[in-house]
Amino acid sequence: MSLADKIVEIGLVPVIKITDPAHAAPLAEALIAADLPVAEVTFRTDCAAEAIKIMSEYKELLLGAGTVITAEQVKAAKEAGATYIISPGFSPEVSKACIAEDLIYFPGVASPRDIQDAMADGWKTLKFFPAEALGGVKTLKAFAAPYPGISFVPTGGINAENVKSYMDLPVVKACGGSWMVPNKLMEEGNFGAITELAKEALTKIK
Ligand code: 3PG
């Protein structure tokens, strides 16, 4: 099964912002304990690569790097152990770097033009971001018609209440979001509560 298929089978991509490398291992364990072994570790903090390196010890985790906006970050993510790359918007530079590094890329798209640019580089599973702010389910339905064979991972403003409405769309293969991994809980060291949130999220998409 391909990596994209494995993510699709699970259906959720927790979007993570690690502020302290000490959180990386317990977070990986919390997600695995919830049967949600997926992590998009965002390059929004200086310790992102270090956190990815720590989390890469957990071989069952589908470990990706998010908020990747430069070719250098693609290299750093790969060196740290990430197996896929996500960015908020489609970036030709990141796309080329992923092809060169043999990494899967889930580019962010917000418009038909973005979708076509991503398709031109061969990418078929695209992150629709920021989903809620761009019209959510209604916009995705409109995107579906002209692009058969393209699927979406909506992210941005998704939560336990609205995730099912996205997952009910045939073009949606998985949903991303930070609601399962709140920084407040990480800072409190409450990784058990993160496991519970992740489990709850999985029940919502059934
Ligand atoms: C992302 O980069 O994917 C988003 O910041 C996640 O959006 P959310 O915090 O609204 O879930």
Side-chain angles (χ1 to χ4, degrees):
M1 197 190 277
S2 72
L3 175 83
D5 286 344
K6 283 185 195 161
I7 292 175
V8 166
E9 192 176 72
I10 295 167
L12 290 173
V13 181
V15 177
I16 296 157
K17 182 177 157 196
I18 298 269
T19 55
D20 179 347
H23 296 159
L27 179 64
E29 286 164 19
L31 292 172
I32 291 164
D35 265 332
L36 179 50
V38 186
E40 174 189 342
V41 179
T42 57
F43 269 74
R44 287 180 204 180
T45 55
D46 292 341
C47 64
E50 190 182 349
I52 290 171
K53 200 165 182 1
I54 294 165
M55 292 170 87
S56 71
E57 296 297 321
Y58 297 84
K59 300 299 173 205
E60 61 271 68
L61 202 59
L62 302 173
L63 182 60
T67 322
V68 172
I69 52 178
T70 66
E72 285 70 35
Q73 287 172 333
V74 173
K75 286 205 184 86
K78 185 179 182 183
E79 269 168 37
T83 55
Y84 57 96
I85 301 292
I86 304 180
S87 57
F90 176 75
S91 158
E93 177 187 333
V94 171
S95 180
K96 278 184 189 58
C98 288
I99 293 165
E101 298 288 340
D102 201 21
L103 286 170
I104 294 173
Y105 182 34
F106 299 100
V109 295
S111 68
R113 180 186 169 166
D114 294 343
I115 295 170
Q116 289 169 208
D117 284 348
M119 286 169 73
D121 275 3
W123 307 112
K124 292 190 167 62
T125 306
L126 314 177
K127 168 171 172 161
F128 173 50
F129 177 79
E132 277 291 289
L134 291 174
V137 166
K138 197 172 169 202
T139 303
L140 271 174
K141 279 185 183 161
F143 281 171
Y147 304 116
I150 297 300
S151 54
F152 296 92
V153 180
T155 308
I158 300 185
N159 53 46
E161 278 65 53
N162 63 10
V163 66
K164 182 75 166 68
S165 64
Y166 283 94
M167 292 301 281
D168 283 345
L169 298 180
V171 289
V172 170
K173 300 302 178 193
C175 284
S178 62
W179 87 94
M180 299 158 261
V181 282
N183 277 77
K184 189 170 178 289
L185 290 180
M186 278 196 260
E187 273 143 32
E188 290 167 3
N190 194 351
F191 292 92
I194 291 180
T195 296
E196 290 314 310
L197 278 177
K199 279 187 185 165
E200 183 207 24
L202 283 170
T203 66
K204 296 286 181 184
I205 62 167
K206 290 282 175 293

